[in-house]
Amino acid sequence: MKKQSNTLTSLPNIGKVIAANLREVGIETPEDLKAIGSENAFIRLETMDEGACINELLGLEGAILGVRDHDLDENRKAALKAFYNMTKNMTETRKKQTDEKTILIPHCKRNRPVGV
């Protein structure tokens, strides 16, 4: 079956699962992906899946450029890896701050953040 050129799955590195995830975060077409860029698309994906990995980011960049992720320029790969590490560090910091603000209330069916 030939992929249509106006679908996300027509891009290199974009399979059915990533395409579905992109659509879920509002990226419907290859043009949408190119307009938003790999970093912003990755941030959107990470909001719904904290397990989003570096390979997804590299794949998004390759899809935008029309190449396999393995064929990306080494300097661009390094910049994307730095971006990925920064986003993961920020996610971990936010998660830690949220965990520190959560108090346990005995006999309460749920925990709640302090000050809410």
Side-chain angles (χ1 to χ4, degrees):
M1 174 184 254
K2 189 175 179 181
K3 295 179 180 179
Q4 295 178 345
S5 62
N6 63 344
T7 64
L8 289 167
T9 56
S10 68
L11 300 172
N13 313 311
I14 305 295
K16 291 178 184 178
V17 173
I18 295 296
N21 291 346
L22 287 168
R23 284 190 297 272
E24 192 171 328
V25 296
I27 301 170
E28 302 283 336
T29 66
E31 292 75 24
D32 292 342
L33 179 58
K34 291 173 184 174
I36 194 168
S38 59
E39 291 98 333
N40 288 323
F42 181 77
I43 289 170
R44 286 188 184 188
L45 290 173
E46 193 178 36
T47 61
M48 65 175 250
D49 177 14
E50 288 183 13
C53 68
I54 183 65
N55 294 324
E56 289 178 57
L57 177 57
L58 296 175
L60 292 169
E61 180 71 8
I64 289 169
L65 297 176
V67 299
R68 296 286 302 154
D69 56 335
H70 303 287
D71 297 328
L72 290 172
D73 173 80
E74 291 301 320
N75 289 331
R76 185 63 179 140
K77 279 185 186 178
L80 290 169
K81 287 177 183 177
F83 173 82
Y84 172 81
N85 288 330
M86 178 190 69
T87 61
K88 287 300 178 181
N89 288 337
M90 289 172 60
T91 300
E92 287 300 315
T93 299
R94 277 193 307 270
K95 186 175 182 202
K96 183 178 178 184
Q97 289 171 345
T98 301
D99 289 346
E100 289 172 354
K101 291 179 183 176
T102 301
I103 58 172
L104 300 177
I105 303 171
H107 310 294
C108 185
K109 292 187 180 195
R110 64 184 178 131
N111 295 322
R112 59 188 169 121
V114 173
V116 184

